[in-house]
Amino acid sequence: MVQLVGSLRKELADSLSACRVLVVGAGGIGCELLKNLVLTGFKNIEVIDLDTIDVSNLNRQFLFQKKHVGKSKAQVAKESVLQFCPTANITAYHDSIMNPDYNVEFFRNFMLVMNALDNRAARNHVNRMCLAADIPLIESGTAGYLGQVTVIKKGLTECYECQPKPTQKTFPGCTIRNTPSEPIHCIVWAKYLFNQLFGEEDADQEVSPDTADPELSWNPADTEARATASDQDGDIKRVSTKDWARSTGYDAVKLFNKVGFSLFKDDIQYLLTMDKLWKKRKAPLPLDWLEIQELGKILEVTGTGLKDQQVLGVAGYSQLFSCSVETLRSILADKGDGAELVWDKDDPPAMDFVTAAANLRMHIFSMNMKSRFDIKSMAGNIIPAIATTNAVIAGLIVLEALKILSGDVEQCRTIFLNKQPNPRKKLLVPCALDPPSANCYVCASKPEVTVKLNVHKTLVLALQDKILKEKFGMVAPDVQIEDGKGTILISSEEGETEANNSKFLSDFGIRNGSRLQVDDFLQDYTLLVNVIHCEDLEKDVEFEVVGDAPDKAPTPPSAQEDKNVANGNKDSAEPSTSSKAPAEQDDVLIVDSDEEEPSSSTMDVRMESGGHKRKLHDAETGEASAKRQRLDQPSAADEDDDDIIALD
């Protein structure tokens, strides 16, 4: 007779009460997960998150209330959970998981780690720490109605970094509001503006300058006086955008450059007072309505063919902005007091407004403007974060955790939450976990990569920051040249090798075929880097990683080649946990306007369409992974969601 405690076997229930688990991230998924864990019977939980609560979190992170804004997410989440489960033992850390204090020994204190993150750097780091500690990791992620959960276990499954991932396409809110560098940034800003003026206002869709930008190191008291374009302080007065616009009668000229809410003049001049933002960027150019009207006497149009495929000049888009504002104002007035408009890519006035506003902002920030056709294709599929998706994924995380704690790791699956049911009427589709591969540069027994660069132009600092830290996800790398002398090129100890930073690699005898042994002691991670000297890299390309697996460079004589060890286990070489897969075209853009640092989601959420696989890359981070073996039938043809832009 099986003895039950609630719905669980007594042995499993006892295991839950005794085991110690770590939750990394206390945001959208993290809140749901903490609630699920304590209600399932987990008693010893530690949660870590560096972020603080913002008002925009309150619509989906239910452990937080308005009174908590500005407080630590981890601490408030702990306090909220203890209110409905006071017997739980929860420890909260308001800190970054990448802090050296949370080393391999820290991770070994847990039976299980669960990620609820929203950025790739932190995911990479937790992945490596769990491999080094040989602790099971459950990864998860959501984007709109799509979600995914998967399990990572050293030696049994591929790790998070096994699959090649495209360049991450996540955009913090401060990028949208302060420093746009791509047309998509301006298009998202224009959609935010539409909602602020005519639709449902959302604190998560602010369009005025972001004074909390982490790049800033200016003194508002000193620079405010220089924002002379407005009466006091640019657009930093926190008044309702819609209320102000209504008070002006939606006057297009006032929206352009009048006191209070100035989109293309005063706000830009206020941005210019944020000095540090423009030290390494081209500063924006404010627009003035009257000056543009003078230019408008000569209407500039580029491009041929259909009207939607033509690009108007600044004056043309200014006129389009004015006309669309008037049209939308009239539509809103006809709907009566308290009415709101909903943006629709097939609504001509709404599309005209976004086209005009986005192009004017592109011009201000020195980007090439886009046709209405191009903007419509990019702006048509913006989706919000969905609280219920987070809830479903959090539930699936707990189910996978129960399998692990029952000793049934082989029964774990990658589970995809799709937007529409498949032919078997299932929204949740399980897939077999991919087996280990010897080609992963993180979890292989002897991780190795080949990097192509120009040794005469690459600085030691670029090797450290752009290649080892940014590309390969290291936190504090130490680099030794395998030249028979053991030359130390980079040391993680402060001050030891800083003098090398401004020197070129060739200054240290590094040439075609040189090998560098790189160690990150915090991650218990060793990587061998083969250097290929190349003088004909593409323009603006500083380096290239050659393939998934290293193409062996010519090996100079070295007595240190046999000193490599398996990451996380210096006594034996474990099999790798990856599977080789070519990088696939990224078709998802993520806008992270609610940056939960260091915390995006995780893997790839895929939708099946006839026999054609579509991926949602790394649900909140835009990352891709390889094809997986299906345990279910392919789903029916889904609606086309190319170039989705997900808003978290």
Side-chain angles (χ1 to χ4, degrees):
M1 186 74 175
V2 177
Q3 189 175 358
L4 297 179
V5 176
S7 60
L8 302 177
R9 288 181 292 105
K10 185 178 185 305
E11 297 83 354
L12 180 56
D14 291 343
S15 177
L16 265 58
S17 297
C19 76
R20 192 174 172 189
V21 298
L22 174 66
V23 175
V24 187
I29 296 175
C31 283
E32 295 284 349
L33 179 57
L34 287 168
K35 175 258 297 180
N36 289 349
L37 289 173
V38 296
L39 294 180
T40 304
F42 287 84
K43 297 296 184 183
N44 300 294
I45 304 168
E46 299 190 21
V47 57
I48 182 169
D49 196 315
L50 179 64
D51 206 4
T52 55
I53 300 164
D54 186 81
V55 67
S56 62
N57 302 145
L58 304 183
N59 69 339
R60 61 189 179 278
Q61 298 175 22
F62 78 102
L63 294 180
F64 309 141
Q65 301 175 29
K66 191 172 182 179
K67 65 182 180 181
H68 296 138
V69 170
K71 297 182 179 180
S72 162
K73 283 188 175 181
Q75 186 61 38
V76 173
K78 167 190 171 179
E79 294 169 359
S80 298
V81 168
L82 288 176
Q83 289 183 20
F84 55 83
C85 189
T87 60
N89 177 25
I90 303 176
T91 303
Y93 303 92
H94 179 61
D95 205 350
S96 167
I97 192 61
M98 299 174 74
N99 186 315
D101 291 341
Y102 309 111
N103 53 24
V104 174
E105 292 304 316
F106 172 80
F107 277 80
R108 285 182 178 143
N109 292 323
F110 305 100
M111 290 187 65
L112 179 63
V113 176
M114 289 164 273
N115 266 353
L117 288 164
D118 68 352
N119 73 89
R120 185 188 297 176
R123 293 181 179 284
N124 289 347
H125 180 71
V126 174
N127 174 62
R128 296 179 188 191
M129 300 305 287
C130 288
L131 290 173
D134 198 8
I135 300 297
L137 169 65
I138 302 178
E139 271 286 5
S140 61
T142 62
Y145 295 101
L146 306 177
Q148 177 181 351
V149 173
T150 195
V151 173
I152 295 170
K153 181 67 174 76
K154 182 177 181 179
L156 294 177
T157 74
E158 66 178 14
C159 78
Y160 177 71
E161 297 173 80
C162 283
Q163 306 299 341
K165 295 179 174 65
T167 302
Q168 187 173 359
K169 294 186 177 180
T170 62
F171 310 125
C174 55
T175 299
I176 301 297
R177 294 165 62 182
N178 290 0
T179 55
S181 59
E182 300 178 24
I184 188 62
H185 300 160
C186 300
I187 294 169
V188 171
W189 179 89
K191 282 205 64 181
Y192 284 177
L193 179 61
F194 177 91
N195 288 333
Q196 292 286 314
L197 292 175
F198 307 106
E200 182 180 358
E201 290 185 272
D202 186 341
D204 210 16
Q205 297 183 357
E206 183 59 70
V207 295
S208 60
D210 182 8
T211 57
D213 192 323
E215 280 195 62
L216 296 178
S217 63
W218 52 287
N219 185 341
D222 296 336
T223 57
E224 196 169 310
R226 288 184 282 153
T228 55
S230 65
D231 59 343
Q232 290 291 332
D233 57 354
D235 179 42
I236 307 307
K237 292 181 178 178
R238 297 306 180 193
V239 296
S240 166
T241 301
K242 185 182 294 184
D243 289 346
W244 183 87
R246 282 175 173 166
S247 73
T248 70
Y250 286 95
D251 188 308
V253 178
K254 291 182 179 179
L255 290 178
F256 236 81
N257 55 2
K258 198 71 174 176
V259 171
F261 185 85
S262 45
L263 301 172
F264 306 114
K265 183 181 178 183
D266 289 1
D267 274 4
I268 304 305
Q269 289 181 316
Y270 194 88
L271 279 175
L272 290 172
T273 69
M274 300 179 182
D275 305 328
K276 191 175 181 181
L277 292 179
W278 317 115
K279 287 185 177 180
K280 296 182 180 180
R281 296 183 179 91
K282 185 174 181 179
L285 177 67
L287 293 178
D288 183 272
W289 178 266
L290 295 178
E291 293 176 2
I292 291 173
Q293 299 317 299
E294 289 297 317
L295 294 173
K297 295 176 181 177
I298 304 176
L299 192 61
E300 178 186 354
V301 179
T302 60
T304 58
L306 298 175
K307 182 179 179 181
D308 274 7
Q309 296 177 342
Q310 296 177 345
V311 178
L312 309 180
V314 176
Y317 283 123
S318 299
Q319 293 175 15
L320 182 63
F321 178 82
S322 179
C323 292
S324 63
V325 168
E326 174 59 29
T327 303
L328 292 167
R329 181 203 63 77
S330 178
I331 295 173
L332 192 62
D334 291 344
K335 288 180 175 290
D337 292 341
E340 294 174 342
L341 302 183
V342 178
W343 190 84
D344 185 343
K345 70 178 192 269
D346 296 318
D347 178 30
M351 194 62 236
D352 286 345
F353 177 87
V354 168
T355 299
N359 273 307
L360 290 171
R361 192 159 174 89
M362 288 181 216
H363 176 78
I364 287 170
F365 286 91
S366 303
M367 297 177 226
N368 293 327
M369 294 186 288
K370 298 288 185 180
S371 69
R372 190 178 191 273
F373 178 84
D374 291 334
I375 289 178
K376 184 176 182 179
S377 69
M378 287 190 276
N381 288 307
I382 297 180
I383 58 177
I386 306 296
T388 47
T389 307
N390 291 337
V392 172
I393 293 303
L396 292 173
I397 294 173
V398 175
L399 291 178
E400 295 303 302
L402 294 178
K403 295 178 187 177
I404 294 171
L405 295 175
S406 297
D408 296 327
V409 178
E410 294 77 8
Q411 299 301 315
C412 291
R413 297 287 182 263
T414 292
I415 305 173
F416 297 101
L417 171 61
N418 286 338
K419 188 174 182 180
Q420 295 182 350
N422 65 7
R424 297 177 65 181
K425 299 182 180 181
K426 290 186 177 181
L427 285 173
L428 297 174
V429 182
C431 300
L433 295 171
D434 284 337
S437 166
N439 295 324
C440 178
Y441 67 76
V442 173
C443 62
S445 59
K446 293 185 178 181
E448 192 170 340
V449 293
T450 296
V451 178
K452 186 185 296 185
L453 49 76
N454 189 327
V455 297
H456 302 299
K457 295 182 178 180
T458 303
L459 296 172
V460 172
L461 185 62
L463 171 68
Q464 173 183 278
D465 291 347
K466 295 185 178 181
I467 300 179
L468 300 179
K469 289 186 176 180
E470 185 175 326
K471 176 63 180 178
F472 295 126
M474 295 187 173
V475 177
D478 290 270
V479 181
Q480 178 177 305
I481 305 172
E482 292 196 347
D483 55 3
K485 298 180 290 186
T487 303
I488 302 298
L489 184 66
I490 298 172
S491 173
S492 58
E493 294 295 329
E494 186 175 355
E496 282 193 3
T497 56
E498 287 183 4
N500 296 345
N501 288 347
S502 59
K503 298 179 181 179
F504 295 106
L505 299 185
S506 57
D507 295 337
F508 297 88
I510 297 174
R511 54 186 174 81
N512 187 57
S514 292
R515 292 156 69 90
L516 309 176
Q517 180 170 310
V518 188
D519 295 286
D520 190 316
F521 295 105
L522 172 62
Q523 298 178 340
D524 198 3
Y525 175 47
T526 297
L527 177 68
L528 183 65
V529 178
N530 298 299
V531 176
I532 293 181
H533 172 64
C534 180
E535 297 185 355
D536 56 354
L537 292 170
E538 293 182 14
K539 184 180 179 182
D540 298 327
V541 174
E542 295 184 62
F543 67 93
E544 291 179 0
V545 178
V546 182
D548 282 353
D551 292 344
K552 301 294 183 181
T555 306
S558 170
Q560 302 184 19
E561 185 171 349
D562 294 330
K563 292 186 179 180
N564 293 315
V565 294
N567 292 314
N569 186 343
K570 297 186 178 180
D571 301 317
S572 64
E574 292 287 342
S576 158
T577 57
S578 81
S579 64
K580 183 176 180 180
E584 301 186 45
Q585 179 63 37
D586 187 6
D587 61 0
V588 178
L589 298 176
I590 310 297
V591 177
D592 179 15
S593 58
D594 170 25
E595 200 172 21
E596 300 177 356
E597 289 289 341
S599 144
S600 146
S601 104
T602 76
M603 327 302 300
D604 55 302
V605 177
R606 251 158 302 167
M607 301 181 68
E608 307 293 336
S609 181
H612 173 70
K613 286 202 172 186
R614 181 183 313 288
K615 305 184 305 302
L616 173 62
H617 302 279
D618 193 54
E620 292 177 8
T621 60
E623 300 170 7
S625 136
K627 295 180 179 178
R628 300 176 184 272
Q629 176 186 351
R630 291 296 305 271
L631 298 181
D632 213 328
Q633 297 296 321
S635 58
D638 289 307
E639 60 182 289
D640 188 11
D641 282 334
D642 280 355
D643 295 319
I644 292 174
I645 305 169
L647 302 181
D648 179 22

